[in-house]
Amino acid sequence: DTAVSQTPKYLVTQMGNDKSIKCEQNLGHDTMYWYKQDSKKFLKIMFSYNNKELIINETVPNRFSPKSPDKAHLNLHINSLELGDSAVYFCASSQPGRGEGYTFGSGTRLTVV
Amino acid sequence: EDQVTQSPEALRLQEGESSSLNCSYTVSGLRGLFWYRQDPGKGPEFLFTLYSAGEEKEKERLKATLTKKESFLHITAPKPEDSATYLCAVQDPGGYNKLIFGAGTRLAVHP
């Protein structure tokens, strides 16, 4: 029954590895997002897709590559992981114009060692 | 540059002790201001959207208000279960429904 689900919840990996985080929403929303929350709890947007089309691509290293196979799914692949990539990554979805705000997933805590 | 500043960073209250959290913003042409609640280990949970100065919204012990430069989240007679981080965000006027978040206020309510 979960509205926005992301997997895995925890990810511990070594520097230099490649990893992926998956996100799915069952709300029928057209727009999905990836946000990064750093150790100071600041939430900062990384990417947004509207109906499978990339519409926001913030200043993010090109080691990060989002993919949206359909409007219910948005994945994030990270190449050559670095220590500074350690953070909590949140997926979210929204239906623009409804004023309901985003619905967030529960987050993926990525730790790079 | 569009910014959102929340104060205080942390707030400790006794149960029943009412208080307010502040969110000040600098954005040209506000398209929406959002309040979220975030519990440890969870994603932010949507509380309110405000669009224009003078607007107010309420939910249980929480009331959000908006002026032209800031928003307040008033907590009346809080309970320990209100303990959480409260996040404020504004919609980026550039469109695409992008939200700019503040750093949040960590609220702890003690019995």
Side-chain angles (χ1 to χ4, degrees):
Chain A
D1 207 27
T2 306
V4 180
S5 59
Q6 48 182 117
T7 55
K9 188 163 176 64
Y10 300 98
L11 193 49
V12 181
T13 188
Q14 290 189 326
M15 274 196 308
N17 283 351
D18 303 338
K19 290 293 177 187
S20 292
I21 308 172
K22 296 188 174 186
C23 179
E24 176 181 3
Q25 56 99 359
N26 63 4
L27 298 165
H29 289 167
D30 285 340
T31 308
M32 295 185 74
Y33 313 82
W34 279 113
Y35 272 77
K36 179 180 180 180
Q37 190 170 45
D38 60 25
S39 56
K40 294 186 179 177
K41 303 299 183 186
F42 252 114
L43 268 166
K44 200 160 180 198
I45 194 165
M46 300 173 71
F47 303 103
S48 176
Y49 274 74
N50 182 267
N51 224 344
K52 300 193 298 176
E53 182 190 347
L54 180 66
I55 57 171
I56 296 175
N57 186 354
E58 292 289 291
T59 309
V60 174
N62 57 16
R63 298 181 294 104
F64 290 79
S65 52
K67 278 208 174 74
S68 180
D70 55 61
K71 77 172 194 177
H73 295 84
L74 179 60
N75 304 322
L76 183 65
H77 187 76
I78 316 169
N79 288 326
S80 303
L81 278 154
E82 300 178 357
L83 292 176
D85 297 331
S86 296
V88 182
Y89 293 85
F90 285 100
C91 176
S93 71
S94 74
Q95 189 61 34
R98 282 198 195 155
E100 296 167 345
Y102 295 174
T103 302
F104 281 89
S106 57
T108 295
R109 181 174 292 278
L110 172 65
T111 304
V112 182
V113 296
Chain B
E1 184 182 323
D2 300 327
Q3 282 200 340
V4 179
T5 305
Q6 292 188 246
S7 62
E9 277 188 32
L11 182 61
R12 179 189 168 113
L13 298 174
Q14 288 297 121
E15 185 171 1
E17 180 188 0
S18 301
S19 188
S20 297
L21 314 183
N22 177 265
C23 171
S24 63
Y25 60 90
T26 54
V27 64
S28 50
L30 182 70
R31 296 180 62 180
L33 184 141
F34 299 79
W35 282 99
Y36 288 84
R37 169 191 170 127
Q38 186 174 21
D39 292 297
K42 295 192 175 179
E45 178 188 342
F46 171 73
L47 293 173
F48 306 110
T49 310
L50 300 166
Y51 291 104
S52 54
E55 192 175 354
E56 298 183 353
K57 290 213 174 144
E58 279 188 74
K59 181 180 178 178
E60 296 180 359
R61 295 176 291 283
L62 300 176
K63 182 164 103 172
T65 62
L66 182 64
T67 71
K68 286 189 178 175
K69 292 190 177 179
E70 57 192 350
S71 176
F72 292 94
L73 185 66
H74 308 276
I75 305 177
T76 303
K79 298 182 177 183
E81 53 261 40
D82 295 321
S83 298
T85 296
Y86 290 86
L87 299 167
C88 171
V90 297
Q91 185 167 344
D92 184 271
Y96 298 123
N97 217 31
K98 170 183 167 183
L99 294 187
I100 303 166
F101 281 85
T105 293
R106 286 191 319 279
L107 174 66
V109 182
H110 296 268

